[in-house]
Amino acid sequence: AGVVKEEDLEALEAEFGPCHVCRENDTCYIVARLVKCTPRQLVELNAERYPGLTASSRLKKGTLLLLPDEEDPPTNLNPQPTGTAPAAQPEHAVPLPGAETA
């Protein structure tokens, strides 16, 4: 898996096509919003390069993500999860005022 410098991006794009150099703690969700694609597209395009990559994986600074071609537009930029349980709240999280507690 490659960690690259942003100044190398032009040469990498010539070789691999559209790509993005991540900042520390970027996720596929964050990058997808920046480049107007879906997190799923990013995960699928980069799964071979980064086994175990998920939409919420925290990425290191300099991680190179391949991006979908402009000819491959996303079908839904704001997907709503279906059939999934709500994420557990971390113990250190502070509940919002007025939020119900179980």
Side-chain angles (χ1 to χ4, degrees):
V3 175
V4 298
K5 296 177 183 169
E6 195 141 357
E7 54 266 19
D8 298 330
L9 187 58
E10 191 174 313
L12 291 166
E13 287 183 334
E15 184 175 347
F16 297 110
C19 47
H20 174 82
V21 178
C22 296
R23 295 173 302 192
E24 189 69 28
N25 291 321
D26 270 353
T27 65
C28 287
Y29 284 117
I30 292 168
V31 175
R33 291 185 79 168
L34 290 172
V35 301
K36 296 181 176 41
C37 70
T38 66
R40 171 178 252 166
Q41 286 177 299
L42 292 179
V43 170
E44 289 174 357
L45 280 170
N46 292 280
E48 185 177 325
R49 186 178 180 96
Y50 303 108
L53 180 68
T54 68
S56 60
S57 297
R58 298 260 176 221
L59 303 168
K60 294 181 180 179
K61 179 180 179 180
T63 299
L64 180 71
L65 288 181
L66 302 179
L67 302 177
D69 291 327
E70 290 181 13
E71 296 83 39
D72 187 20
T75 55
N76 185 358
L77 288 175
N78 296 306
Q80 297 299 314
T82 57
T84 57
Q89 189 174 25
E91 291 180 17
H92 63 275
V94 177
L96 295 174
E100 292 183 33
T101 56

